[in-house]
Structure formats: structure tokens, C-alpha cells
Amino acid sequence: AANVLGKPALADMDLGLSTAPILYAAQEFPELRPLVMRRFKEKGDKEIALETLYKSDTAMDKARNLAKFHAQRAIDALLRLPQSNSRDALVRLTHAVITRKK
């Protein structure tokens, strides 16, 4: 799971948080919505949510595209600032976050 998501798969759900991939999967699989609404509190919720995410043909791609969209917006905003080592480091960091594999 960490290889696909870039972090431990259940970490956010342990906190009751729904990430973009899970929310996109819930659009495709409405049976996931009650688990999201109860913040994955019942036994087995997290595992079911993860299995459902893996069944989705589109959730991860939609989430990746959402992240790329916001990263580009961040870069566009940064490029309005005067050139500096700090600005360039933030642009590189934005690229690193989007292209990370884990």
C-alpha cells in the first residue's frame, strides 16, 4: 500500500481522515460513504476502504491529477516572487512532493 500511496495506507484513516483517493473511490463505490462518514471507527472499516480503493480504476489517477493541479498553482504563485535561492528551493520541493514514489 505504501508503494502505491507514497505513505502508510492506514495512517490517515487511523486519524479518521479521508484523503482524496478515498473520497474519489467513494464517488465510484457509494458503499464506502458510510465508512467515511463514521471516520473509519468500526472494526474492519479501514481494511474495507483500502480494498475498495484498490478496486477503483480512477481514484488514484484523479487524486494524482488534483495534487498536480495544486502543485502547479503553488509554482505559479512562487514564480511571481523575486528570484532567490529560497524561492527556487520551494519550487524544487513542490516538484519533489509530486514526483515522490514513497
Side-chain angles (χ1 to χ4, degrees):
N3 293 340
V4 174
L5 300 174
K7 60 184 173 180
L10 303 180
D12 291 317
M13 286 187 275
D14 283 339
L15 298 172
L17 302 175
S18 298
T19 58
I22 291 294
L23 294 173
Y24 283 125
Q27 288 179 340
E28 190 176 348
F29 299 96
E31 63 271 20
L32 192 53
R33 291 178 190 158
L35 286 68
V36 169
M37 295 303 292
R38 66 178 174 247
R39 301 176 62 130
F40 315 104
K41 296 290 187 211
E42 291 187 13
K43 185 174 175 63
D45 279 355
K46 292 176 273 200
E47 293 77 14
I48 292 168
L50 192 58
E51 289 170 13
T52 305
L53 174 59
Y54 288 145
K55 286 186 218 172
S56 173
D57 293 327
T58 61
M60 290 303 295
D61 286 337
K62 286 181 177 181
R64 205 171 287 112
N65 288 336
L66 180 66
K68 287 178 182 177
F69 170 79
H70 286 288
Q72 187 58 55
R73 300 269 320 260
I75 290 169
D76 292 345
L78 286 166
L79 293 178
R80 289 190 208 112
L81 297 173
Q83 195 282 324
S84 69
N85 289 338
S86 299
R87 183 198 77 174
D88 295 345
L90 288 170
V91 170
R92 285 191 305 277
L93 177 62
T94 303
H95 283 291
V97 168
I98 291 302
T99 59
R100 73 179 181 174
K101 295 297 178 200
K102 40 177 155 167

